[in-house]
């Protein structure tokens, strides 16, 4: 049994001996995508291993014929202004007046009206004029006025309540040819105003921005893909299944798919993970990289060798300095 595993491991190692771990390229005519990838980058470098784990870099380049972003923002302003108001006014006036006059009778009249035992004056042919004036008079006036006003408009209600009280007392005293008048006036006024105004403003502005990005540009996606000769009953878990510890910094990756065809090598189980160019450069320049593949019932942990990290560096240098061509000719397939 051990001899069988040894022969199998030696066969796989010999099969990987002729693989360019620094990168190979091919052009997919069906999807018009150029693929640059590493193959068979064994991270441990040991000859006889029961579980072989290869971690490779992959770059896919495709042409974007048209890319248009349309941004629509609703900023519509609606301003409602009332220029004509219909006002209904109700006015109620209430006036009440109370007047009292007291006039004293002349002394000659009072004397005639008073019964006495004296004989009546002798009648003569002379005409007697009574020019005596009343000695005093009193005039008292009390006036009350109440006003109530209500004004109503679509956006405003005005209520005015006015109450006014007028008290006038006038006393006149007459002596011979002298007349003395004393007047006492008191005015009390009460007014209450209540104004209710309702203002509603709604402002909506509509602005439409259309942003067009230049066409015929190259879009590049970077991936890590792991090649594994899995032990028995080892199945990758869903979600985050690849974890790298790059100089002590943890980076987790979730398995994804490629827009073009991704065909694994015979005898290996492959999984694809998206990575940023900056993170790929960190792996290439790191001093220590530890790799963990998480399965449903177990994990596989290995430390990346210096040779494996150098292959990442050579891959980045090789394809970052070459111009990208998507014409699908023979030079793109080399």
């Amino acid at each position: 049994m051990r001899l069988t595993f040894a022969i199998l491991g030696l066969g796989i190692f010999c099969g990987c001996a002729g693989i360019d771990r620094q990168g190979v390229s091919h052009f997919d005519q069906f999807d018009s995508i150029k693929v640059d990838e590493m193959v068979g980058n064994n991270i441990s470098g040991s000859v006889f291993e029961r579980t072989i784990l290869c971690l490779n870099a992959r770059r896919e380049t495709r042409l974007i014929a048209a890319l248009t972003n349309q941004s629509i923002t609703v900023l519509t302003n609606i301003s409602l202004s009332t220029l004509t108001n219909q006002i209904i006014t109700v006015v109620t006036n209430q006036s009440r007046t109370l007047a009292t006059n007291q006039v004293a009778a002349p002394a000659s009249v009072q004397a005639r009206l008073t019964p006495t035992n004296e004989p009546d004056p002798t009648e003569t042919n002379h005409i007697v004029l009574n020019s005596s004036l009343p000695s005093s008079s009193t005039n008292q006036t009390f006036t009350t006025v109440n006003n109530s006003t209500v004004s109503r408009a679509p956006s405003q209600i005005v209520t005015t309540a006015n109450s006014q009280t007028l008290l006038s007392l006038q006393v006149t005293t007459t002596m011979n040819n002298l007349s003395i008048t004393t007047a006492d006036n008191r005015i009390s006024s009460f007014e209450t105003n209540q104004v209710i105004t309702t203002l509603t403003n709604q402002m909506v502005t509509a602005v439409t921005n259309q942003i067009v990005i230049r066409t015929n540009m190259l879009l590049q996606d970077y991936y890590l893909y792991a090649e594994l000769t899995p032990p028995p009953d080892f199945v990758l878990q869903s979600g985050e299944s690849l974890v790298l510890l790059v100089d002590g910094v943890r980076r987790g990756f979730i398995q994804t798919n490629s827009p073009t065809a991704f065909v694994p090598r015979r005898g290996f189980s492959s999984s694809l993970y998206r990575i940023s160019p900056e993170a790929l450069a960190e792996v290439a320049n790191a001093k220590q990289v530890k790799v963990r593949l998480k399965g449903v019932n177990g994990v596989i942990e290995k430390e990346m060798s210096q040779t494996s990290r150098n292959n990442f560096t050579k891959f980045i240098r090789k394809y970052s300095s070459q111009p990208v061509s998507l014409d699908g000719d023979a030079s793109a397939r080399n």
Side-chain angles (χ1 to χ4, degrees), residues 37-240:
E37 61 182 356
M38 299 164 54
V39 180
N41 184 28
N42 192 347
I43 62 174
S44 63
S46 300
V47 178
F48 299 103
E49 288 183 313
R50 301 179 60 180
T51 301
I52 299 177
L53 177 60
C54 300
L55 191 63
N56 309 286
R58 177 185 175 100
R59 185 182 72 173
E60 297 180 358
T61 305
R62 61 181 181 272
L63 181 66
I64 302 299
L67 182 60
T68 303
N69 293 331
Q70 186 175 5
S71 177
I72 300 177
T73 304
V74 178
L75 296 174
T76 302
N77 294 331
I78 299 178
S79 179
L80 301 178
S81 301
T82 303
L83 300 179
T84 302
N85 294 328
Q86 184 178 0
I87 302 175
I88 300 175
T89 303
V90 178
V91 179
T92 302
N93 294 325
Q94 183 178 359
S95 178
R96 180 179 298 173
T97 302
L98 176 62
T100 301
N101 295 324
Q102 294 179 356
V103 180
S108 59
V109 176
Q110 291 180 357
R112 289 197 302 264
L113 296 178
T114 302
T116 59
N117 296 322
E118 297 179 358
D120 293 335
T122 305
E123 294 181 0
T124 63
N125 295 327
H126 299 283
I127 299 175
V128 179
L129 298 177
N130 188 5
S131 60
S132 61
L133 298 176
S135 59
S136 62
S137 65
T138 302
N139 186 5
Q140 183 178 359
T141 304
F142 181 79
T143 304
T144 302
V145 179
N146 294 322
N147 294 327
S148 178
T149 304
V150 177
S151 300
R152 182 183 297 272
S155 61
Q156 190 180 63
I157 299 176
V158 179
T159 302
T160 302
N162 182 276
S163 178
Q164 188 175 17
T165 302
L166 175 61
L167 176 61
S168 177
L169 177 61
Q170 185 175 1
V171 178
T172 302
T173 303
T174 303
M175 294 180 296
N176 297 331
N177 58 351
L178 178 64
S179 177
I180 299 176
T181 302
T182 303
D184 184 9
N185 297 324
R186 186 177 62 181
I187 300 175
S188 300
S189 179
F190 302 93
E191 184 174 352
T192 302
N193 296 324
Q194 183 179 7
V195 180
I196 300 176
T197 304
T198 303
L199 299 177
T200 302
N201 295 325
Q202 181 179 4
M203 301 181 66
V204 181
T205 303
V207 176
T208 301
N209 297 325
Q210 186 172 3
I211 303 174
V212 180
I213 302 178
R214 72 179 190 274
T215 58
N216 298 329
M217 69 176 184
L218 298 177
L219 181 63
Q220 295 178 336
D221 296 325
Y222 291 85
Y223 299 90
L224 287 177
Y225 75 93
E227 297 177 316
L228 176 67
T229 55
D233 299 332
F234 182 84
V235 179
L236 285 177
Q237 72 173 16
S238 60
E240 185 184 87

